[in-house]
Amino acid sequence: MPPPPHRAAILVIDMQRGMQPIMHRAERTVETIAGLSSRARAANVPVITVQQRGCGDALPGLAPHHGEPVVMKTCADAFLDTDLDEILVRLGVTEVLVTGFATENCVETTARQALSHGYDLVLVADGHTTSVRPQPTDFVLPDQSIAHHNEIYRHIDFPDRSVRVLPATRIDFVAPKPAPEEKG
């Protein structure tokens, strides 16, 4: 049986008013995600808003449009005890583009779970952010954390899945080109 046709969807994770005070570079991340979401809607690519229960409405510029799916979650994994997978299957999605807050928590967990659920993955390199850090701290600085996770996903190998890390401006919503076959 041939594989299903490629269909991307954007996940906008936890970009909510209750999280904004602790977000590193919130304004720039909102601007990036809003621009990508606008392009996605124009290309008929689904935009799915994922929200942490109890953390308020979506940030200005990222509110879901009428009829777009909203997934309410209670932990870092947007798939656990939610209807996210059902929504993606119903929409015929084969690849998720992950954006949002926080890089090493909800973004990371949901990205890995997307792979485990059978989806190809694009981590939007400039479309996720982490929390500001109190000083002193044992956490790496926010920009280092974001860069670290982007680098991990550039090198992650997952069986039968495409994993890409792309800045928002390079995303075109089409299937990744297959790697050239090695000749031996």
Side-chain angles (χ1 to χ4, degrees):
M1 175 160 37
H6 176 267
R7 177 143 167 90
I10 297 177
L11 301 183
V12 180
I13 301 170
D14 296 351
M15 295 299 289
Q16 296 167 258
R17 289 183 190 271
M19 305 287 199
Q20 187 175 15
I22 62 170
M23 279 184 198
H24 171 66
R25 68 178 196 196
E27 189 175 304
R28 185 166 63 175
T29 306
V30 167
E31 184 179 303
T32 298
I33 296 171
L36 182 62
S37 296
S38 178
R39 289 180 32 233
R41 290 177 180 110
N44 200 31
V45 170
V47 177
I48 301 167
T49 300
V50 178
Q51 295 186 331
Q52 182 69 32
R53 192 170 304 282
C55 290
D57 294 331
L59 290 171
L62 297 178
H65 289 195
H66 179 72
E68 289 181 343
V70 176
V71 174
M72 297 303 289
K73 65 182 185 63
T74 58
C75 68
D77 180 356
F79 286 91
L80 184 63
D81 297 328
T82 72
D83 59 351
L84 177 58
D85 195 43
E86 294 165 25
I87 291 167
L88 295 170
V89 168
R90 185 179 71 243
L91 293 171
V93 171
T94 60
E95 178 178 66
V96 294
L97 290 78
V98 177
T99 69
F101 177 78
T103 297
E104 62 279 281
N105 195 359
C106 300
V107 170
E108 160 75 9
T109 303
T110 300
R112 289 200 190 241
Q113 286 301 315
L115 291 167
S116 292
H117 279 81
Y119 299 98
D120 290 334
L121 175 72
V122 174
L123 179 61
V124 181
D126 52 350
H128 63 96
T129 192
T130 190
S131 57
V132 294
R133 310 291 198 221
Q135 294 300 321
T137 182
D138 289 333
F139 284 110
V140 298
L141 295 174
D143 287 331
Q144 290 174 317
S145 179
I146 293 164
H148 173 83
H149 282 79
N150 286 342
E151 195 62 21
I152 286 172
Y153 278 88
R154 284 186 185 98
H155 297 281
I156 212 167
D157 188 23
F158 210 93
D160 301 320
R161 306 282 181 278
S162 166
V163 180
R164 300 182 290 163
V165 179
L166 299 170
T169 57
R170 290 200 38 228
I171 293 174
D172 61 9
F173 309 113
V174 299
K177 297 189 181 10
E181 291 188 35
E182 291 185 34
K183 297 183 182 186

